[in-house]
Amino acid sequence: MSELSVKHLLGIKYLNESDIQLIFETADHFKEVINRSIKKVPSLRDITIANIFFENSTRTKLSFELAEKRLSADVLNFSASQSSVKKGETLIDTVNNILSMKVDMVVMRHPNPGAGIFLSKHVKASIVNAGDGAHEHPTQALLDSYSIREKLGDVAGKNVVIVGDILHSRVALSNIFALKLQGANVKVCGPKTLLPKYIESLGVGVETNLRKALDWCDVANMLRIQNERLDISYFPTTREYTQQFGVNKKLLDSLDKEIVIMHPGPINRGVEITSDVADSKQSIILNQVENGVAIRMAVIYLLASKIK
Ligand code: CP
């Protein structure tokens, strides 16, 4: 297969296993490119991409922008907080105004779940979801699986536990879809209040004892406690959460195998993981960020080939 089955990247839910393998093979090529002395290719010289962010971002925004520039696309950056959205302009009007400047692709982060799906039905450009509320964050899940593949050789058959606030996490949902598609065994672990009731219907196991989860896994993906999405108290105190669900070096070293530690960032150091875990040789957190550029180059390149 040499092309994606989709025109937009709205969620991992809409991809198949062949799409993921194609993205990974394309990312392998781009990873080699960005490690050369000349890190740029002319592939998308005729493509214009708008990055529109209605929520804060460091990694995703910079990674998309760099990926687009490495592919020689023309890039527009739009931040809602400095725009006419503040004067009441709607999402569709905002995007249609941007598109009238002959933009081919829109990369969007938005606080509302389904914002990218909504947009894809109302505008002509190809839409890439860079995180929509607590729904999906597809490029994060792709770079996470790609990093597991790079570290452990394969994703199929690996035991992966996702720890923390599963209820509010777009990273968790996209990772579950991506890992299951590739044949990984997946568990979620966290306080019962932060584990959605439907989660087992997605084919994942549930564990509320962190020690047992870590004994089982090859990879632990530690999620951030998203204080900005916690409308009520889901656990007594942050200190108590850390005692039950935080990974420190003593716990990591007490396991009888070397597990891989992942985190999508931003890290709350000392809450979900301690600094000596985040910075340990078992952590691939910065490899995830590095791989994000190659994965996003692959996604943009493959989607652009469908609009040419
Ligand atoms: N992982 C991630 O989405 O980070 P940002 O919010 O900084 O983009």
Side-chain angles (χ1 to χ4, degrees):
M1 196 182 81
S2 60
E3 67 170 31
L4 294 175
S5 66
V6 291
K7 182 182 162 221
H8 311 279
L9 180 61
L10 301 173
I12 301 291
K13 190 166 63 183
Y14 306 102
L15 300 183
N16 58 46
E17 218 263 329
S18 303
D19 289 324
I20 293 183
Q21 292 316 321
L22 177 61
I23 292 168
F24 286 180
E25 283 157 24
T26 311
D28 285 341
H29 167 69
F30 286 131
K31 184 150 183 184
E32 193 259 309
V33 167
I34 58 181
N35 280 300
R36 289 182 199 157
S37 54
I38 296 172
K39 300 174 171 54
K40 212 163 165 162
V41 285
S43 315
L44 299 191
R45 265 194 315 216
D46 52 346
I47 293 283
T48 304
I49 304 175
N51 301 313
I52 64 173
F53 278 66
F54 292 83
E55 253 190 11
N56 295 342
S57 169
T58 298
R59 277 146 293 272
T60 312
K61 192 166 186 286
L62 290 177
S63 180
F64 268 112
E65 186 177 345
L66 191 57
E68 292 150 7
K69 288 180 172 169
R70 295 276 190 249
L71 290 166
S72 304
D74 288 322
V75 179
L76 298 176
N77 284 310
F78 168 94
S79 174
S81 59
Q82 293 159 6
S83 73
S84 292
V85 169
K86 289 280 165 206
K87 301 175 193 164
E89 193 165 32
T90 66
L91 175 60
I92 292 182
D93 278 344
T94 300
V95 175
N96 272 329
N97 274 272
I98 293 170
L99 293 183
S100 67
M101 301 177 209
K102 308 291 176 220
V103 167
D104 305 290
M105 191 180 294
V106 173
V107 175
M108 182 171 75
R109 171 167 287 190
H110 200 281
N112 293 346
I117 299 166
F118 172 77
L119 203 56
S120 71
K121 291 181 178 150
H122 290 90
V123 303
K124 285 205 178 102
S126 182
I127 309 295
V128 181
N129 178 6
D132 59 335
H135 180 224
E136 281 225 38
H137 192 349
T139 54
Q140 180 68 46
L142 290 167
L143 72 88
D144 288 345
S145 285
Y146 186 80
S147 302
I148 294 172
R149 169 185 177 264
E150 183 177 73
K151 181 74 182 175
L152 300 179
D154 204 351
V155 176
K158 298 295 179 293
N159 292 346
V160 181
V161 64
I162 306 170
V163 182
D165 179 2
I166 311 298
L167 185 65
H168 299 97
S169 176
R170 55 193 175 209
V171 174
L173 192 60
S174 287
N175 260 276
I176 289 168
F177 289 139
L179 291 164
K180 294 295 294 176
L181 264 181
Q182 294 167 90
N185 308 307
V186 184
K187 284 189 181 178
V188 293
C189 178
K192 272 192 182 138
T193 48
L194 290 173
L195 301 175
K197 292 202 180 356
Y198 63 80
I199 202 77
E200 282 171 290
S201 70
L202 300 179
V204 307
V206 171
E207 181 57 76
T208 51
N209 181 309
L210 179 65
R211 173 75 209 207
K212 283 187 187 166
L214 296 180
D215 280 334
W216 169 82
C217 75
D218 302 304
V219 178
N221 195 350
M222 307 299 298
L223 301 183
R224 181 173 68 91
I225 290 298
Q226 303 184 68
N227 288 312
E228 73 276 19
R229 294 193 211 281
L230 301 187
D231 46 348
I232 57 167
S233 220
Y234 289 85
F235 43 83
T237 61
T238 303
R239 188 186 155 97
E240 195 164 310
Y241 176 85
T242 300
Q243 278 170 353
Q244 282 195 50
F245 297 102
V247 174
N248 57 39
K249 196 73 169 57
K250 192 171 163 211
L251 176 57
L252 197 61
D253 289 346
S254 72
L255 303 174
D256 60 10
K257 58 182 171 181
E258 282 212 351
I259 64 166
V260 176
I261 297 289
M262 300 176 72
H263 194 302
I267 304 172
N268 292 316
R269 285 180 181 255
V271 179
E272 57 269 2
I273 47 175
T274 50
S275 280
D276 50 8
V277 171
D279 303 331
S280 71
K281 65 180 175 41
Q282 283 166 256
S283 160
I284 59 165
I285 294 170
L286 291 179
N287 305 81
Q288 291 172 256
V289 178
E290 182 187 342
N291 287 334
V293 178
I295 282 289
R296 290 176 175 121
M297 285 175 81
V299 165
I300 292 163
Y301 175 82
L302 291 165
L303 289 176
S305 71
K306 301 202 79 162
I307 51 179
K308 272 182 182 174

